[in-house]
Amino acid sequence: MFSYKKVIDAIPPQLKDATVAGIGIFIAFIGFQNAGIVAADEATLMTLGDITSPTTVLALFGLIVTAIMLVRGFSAAVFFGMIITSVTGIMTGLIPLPSQMISTPPSLAPTFGVAITELPNILQPEMFTVVFTVLFVNFFDATGTIIAVTKKAGFLKDDKLPRAKQALGSDATSSVIAAILGTSTTNSYIESASGVAAGARTGFASIITAVCLFLFLFLSPLLEVVTDAVTAPALIIVGVLMASSMGAITWDKMEYAIPAFVTIIAMPLTHSIANGLALGFIAYPILKIVKGDYKKVHPIMYLIIFIFIAYFIWLA
């Protein structure tokens, strides 16, 4: 019987390592953008940002402080690096103090249940394109994220993920609940890697995170001090930790190196985990066929080729 767990298990170890590294570079790229270290450019698409900007200098300060603590073996360096950066930003006037501490969460009335009450209007032929696209991107974004975070946490056993069904089920359930509430899709997020980097390995860390998120529904003004300059260093450092997975890739075998590299580089350049997976997963079976090792490719990988090609044609 087909299952999403089989899809994850069918992905070869080389591409799983590439997924981890690609998401790490993607995270770091977002960090560099948020810090202002890189900026958009019409001629070259990207260029060096204004590193003399006060907020960029603050982000660089946070990056240096976090890096020093990591080198010195300081526990929870990423977390305390964010705290130090926030305090420094407040002391220098770069981060304003919140105007208040407590606020009432916004009402759900305008959006709650609209996805259900408007269902007859949603079930139109043109909506199937939207549904397919969202399902595709959501599933493979979640797959890439789950592989990356669990591999970095050391949960993969023989390159297979235990209880993958439950993990994907949780992701799917949260997506449905988010739709009913009327918010954007809620799914597995790559920032979970920052918790793993700080030592989180059990569900207890997730429970604490959930409690804190609930509290900050009422303390949201305090989050104004957690600016892009504060979070950017954490994203860059986590990217460094995840990029280490590139060392496990067999770079001297082109049938592995090329799909792995395409997966890694496409994620940040297309700004999409799903697109990176798609391009790498298309390249891998094709190169294995050319080499004559087509029997070593899991049958599901051949199915995935057609799914990804259909996805790209659908988007065209």
Side-chain angles (χ1 to χ4, degrees):
M1 182 183 294
F2 178 83
S3 69
Y4 293 127
K5 180 181 184 301
K6 290 182 179 180
V7 174
I8 295 178
D9 292 342
I11 300 172
Q14 303 277 354
L15 288 184
K16 286 177 179 173
D17 289 318
T19 299
V20 178
I23 291 179
I25 293 176
F26 187 15
I27 291 175
F29 177 64
I30 294 173
F32 276 106
Q33 282 184 310
N34 291 348
I37 299 173
V38 296
D41 183 82
E42 292 185 0
T44 62
L45 296 182
M46 291 180 293
T47 187
L48 181 67
D50 182 8
I51 58 175
T52 61
S53 168
T55 54
T56 302
V57 172
L58 177 63
L60 288 171
F61 166 77
L63 179 60
I64 293 171
V65 169
T66 305
I68 290 174
M69 288 192 291
L70 278 174
V71 171
R72 297 294 298 177
F74 196 82
S75 180
V78 174
F79 175 72
F80 286 106
M82 292 176 64
I83 293 179
I84 294 173
T85 305
S86 296
V87 172
T88 302
I90 293 172
M91 293 176 61
T92 56
L94 295 175
I95 299 177
L97 287 170
S99 56
Q100 59 186 43
M101 292 185 58
I102 301 175
S103 66
T104 304
S107 173
L108 291 174
T111 58
F112 183 78
V114 174
I116 297 176
T117 58
E118 296 295 327
L119 192 59
N121 297 326
I122 293 174
L123 295 179
Q124 303 296 326
E126 58 270 17
M127 285 300 298
F128 286 103
T129 300
V130 177
V131 172
F132 173 78
T133 302
V134 172
L135 173 63
F136 180 92
V137 174
N138 192 20
F139 171 67
F140 283 101
D141 271 352
T143 298
T145 300
I146 290 171
I147 289 174
V149 175
T150 54
K151 186 172 182 64
K152 199 62 187 176
F155 293 155
L156 293 186
K157 298 179 181 179
D158 298 324
D159 284 303
K160 294 184 178 181
L161 177 61
R163 298 189 298 277
K165 179 179 179 181
Q166 288 85 341
L168 290 169
S170 175
D171 183 271
T173 302
S174 65
S175 297
V176 172
I177 294 175
I180 295 174
L181 294 178
T183 185
S184 57
T185 304
T186 304
N187 56 5
S188 306
Y189 53 103
I190 54 178
E191 289 81 358
S192 298
S194 59
V196 172
R201 292 294 185 277
T202 69
F204 182 70
S206 298
I207 293 174
I208 296 300
T209 300
V211 171
C212 290
L213 286 173
F214 175 77
L215 292 176
F216 274 98
L217 285 175
F218 306 93
L219 300 174
S220 57
L222 294 180
L223 295 178
E224 294 176 7
V225 301
V226 187
T227 62
D228 286 344
V230 174
T231 58
L235 294 177
I236 295 171
I237 292 297
V238 170
V240 172
L241 297 175
M242 296 183 68
S244 62
S245 294
M246 284 190 286
I249 298 171
T250 309
W251 293 106
D252 58 345
K253 293 184 178 181
M254 290 297 102
E255 68 270 25
Y256 294 120
I258 293 175
F261 179 77
V262 169
T263 300
I264 292 169
I265 199 67
M267 286 185 186
L269 293 186
T270 65
H271 218 268
S272 168
I273 296 173
N275 288 340
L277 290 177
L279 294 173
F281 285 14
I282 290 173
Y284 172 73
I286 293 176
L287 293 178
K288 292 293 283 185
I289 292 173
V290 172
K291 187 174 175 61
D293 290 339
Y294 61 91
K295 291 184 179 180
K296 296 181 181 179
V297 179
H298 197 288
I300 290 179
M301 292 300 295
Y302 289 117
L303 175 61
I304 289 177
I305 287 182
F306 294 104
I307 294 175
F308 279 134
I309 291 175
Y311 167 69
F312 284 129
I313 293 175
W314 201 294
L315 292 180

